Amino acid sequence: MDQDPEAPDRDAAQTVKGGDQLVKFLFEPGAPPASVRGEIVLLQHSWRRMVEHHDYPEPVRRLLGEMVAASALLSANLKFDGALVMQIHGDGPVRLLVVECNTDLSMRATAKLAEDIVVADDCGFLDLVNAGGTGRFAITLDPTDKSMGQQPYQGIVPLEGNSLAAVLREYMQRSQQIDTHLWLAADASSAGGVLLQRLPNDGGSHASVSASESDARAVEASETWERTVMLANTLNSAELLATDPQNLMHKLFWEETVRVFDPVACSFRCTCSPERVGRMLLSLGRAEVDDALAEQGTLRINCDFCNRRYEFDAVDCGQLFAQGAMIGPAAGTSGAPH
């Protein structure tokens, strides 16, 4: 089995100054606890690596970039080791959008379009993925070390709203009952996003906190939430994509009391491998693989994420099925014989 010698480097974990990073922060009013948390992410080099081998129409690339930024924002708050997989199953020109973000904020993304379609430059969110009203959105949490019989958690909701940010806001309200606002943007060179979440109010349940003080804290927390959302609403896409996260945070919230955490690097990384492609072929079954070999001679499988090519001839496939019991079930590779 051979790999394309001109395949792209899948492990481009290079950090670009000002870009390819996520910054977390907490709004702290006059007294603890914090009432609002926020995140800002900007992806430049890594985003360009995700799409450089794909000729997506501009509206599709823009939506995929928004999903990539959103996946980083949501993954950064997860308390588990594994991958967050975000999917849109569309009924318009876009049939599938997939973004996978790992705990270390390494990511990959892909889009599948309906055949023989032309996407207009002004095509909006609903026209792209929910033209018939049957599109759906899913988030899957897939732990790295699953226990025996453990299945990944998946939440699925209809595509309610006229933007990805609106869909995610509804998803977070349904799944976690957390007030969440997102601002997302993407173009050919950058993808970015801002997330604000209202933290649960403990009501000042400690014995040392009086009822009046508890009420005052609740009012202050509510005011902080409304004020920070209002400030973030002044943001436009151009600013979001041209300003590094720390400077953008200061520009938006310079009058607020904010605790800032160290930035976290983001990167592009594809996890495809000969072994994963082999498991995919095993899942197809010997008869289907033999039919494809008879027709094509050599199976050429391109990874949908990084476009790396894998080639399996009859000898490779024979060895693959002879050792199939040792390889295990198919997992994690998106691709098809070409």
Side-chain angles (χ1 to χ4, degrees):
M1 65 191 77
D2 300 318
Q3 297 179 30
D4 182 353
E6 297 183 359
D9 175 11
R10 298 167 302 143
D11 299 317
Q14 177 181 353
T15 299
V16 179
K17 184 177 181 180
D20 294 290
Q21 62 177 226
L22 181 145
V23 173
K24 294 182 179 183
F25 48 96
L26 287 172
F27 294 90
E28 296 180 326
S35 57
V36 179
R37 67 182 172 195
E39 298 172 6
I40 299 178
V41 67
L42 180 63
L43 305 166
Q44 295 176 327
H45 179 75
S46 54
W47 166 236
R48 293 191 291 270
R49 291 300 307 276
M50 289 183 217
V51 295
E52 64 181 345
H53 296 285
H54 302 280
D55 187 23
Y56 298 132
E58 177 56 29
V60 177
R61 181 172 54 193
R62 185 167 56 246
L63 178 54
L64 187 63
E66 290 181 2
M67 282 184 64
V68 168
S71 72
L73 293 169
L74 296 184
S75 294
N77 279 325
L78 295 179
K79 303 280 195 295
F80 89 117
D81 182 17
L84 179 148
V85 181
M86 189 179 292
Q87 296 175 302
I88 289 180
H89 299 266
D91 62 5
V94 177
R95 297 306 170 88
L96 180 66
L97 296 167
V98 181
V99 177
E100 179 182 295
C101 184
N102 299 298
T103 304
D104 62 358
L105 298 188
S106 61
M107 292 170 279
R108 61 179 188 167
T110 190
K112 289 185 179 294
L113 308 183
E115 295 183 4
D116 301 324
I117 56 95
V118 176
V119 178
D121 291 341
D122 61 351
C123 195
F125 177 76
L126 295 178
D127 293 330
L128 283 174
V129 298
N130 203 28
T134 61
R136 63 191 190 279
F137 171 79
I139 287 184
T140 302
L141 302 181
D142 190 8
T144 299
D145 298 320
K146 301 185 189 68
S147 58
M148 183 67 68
Q150 182 182 2
Q151 296 297 317
Y153 164 81
Q154 186 175 70
I156 302 175
V157 296
L159 287 175
E160 296 180 352
N162 59 2
S163 68
L164 177 63
V167 171
L168 286 168
R169 179 181 179 182
E170 179 66 20
Y171 174 86
M172 295 300 294
Q173 187 62 49
R174 287 190 181 189
S175 64
Q176 298 185 23
Q177 290 78 53
I178 296 177
D179 288 333
T180 303
H181 278 273
L182 294 102
W183 294 261
L184 304 169
D187 59 18
S189 60
S190 302
V194 176
L195 176 146
L196 294 178
Q197 285 187 329
R198 183 173 179 172
L199 297 174
N201 179 23
D202 66 4
S205 57
H206 301 293
S208 59
V209 178
S210 66
S212 59
E213 184 178 355
S214 175
D215 291 342
R217 287 186 179 184
V219 170
E220 187 173 18
S222 181
E223 291 176 348
T224 300
W225 170 247
E226 293 174 2
R227 187 172 61 252
T228 54
V229 170
M230 180 185 67
L231 290 170
N233 276 331
T234 66
L235 181 65
N236 61 53
S237 296
E239 289 178 300
L240 179 52
L241 297 177
T243 313
D244 72 79
Q246 292 182 337
N247 285 337
L248 183 60
M249 181 196 62
H250 291 302
K251 182 177 181 179
L252 289 173
F253 308 118
W254 64 274
E255 290 186 306
E256 302 298 314
T257 302
V258 181
R259 177 153 52 106
V260 185
F261 299 88
D262 291 336
V264 181
C266 306
S267 65
F268 163 70
R269 187 176 75 231
C270 187
T271 55
C272 71
S273 67
E275 292 74 23
R276 289 193 170 200
V277 176
R279 291 197 290 268
M280 183 271 291
L281 292 174
L282 282 173
S283 71
L284 295 177
R286 185 62 183 264
E288 186 170 344
V289 169
D290 285 346
D291 287 345
L293 284 170
E295 179 181 344
Q296 303 175 28
T298 298
L299 303 184
R300 295 175 176 85
I301 298 98
N302 283 11
C303 176
D304 290 334
F305 291 92
C306 70
N307 209 36
R308 174 164 289 196
R309 174 174 290 185
Y310 299 89
E311 297 188 353
F312 287 74
D313 60 20
V315 174
D316 295 325
C317 292
Q319 293 176 341
L320 179 68
F321 280 94
Q323 300 172 356
M326 300 172 57
I327 295 178
T333 300
S334 179
H338 297 285

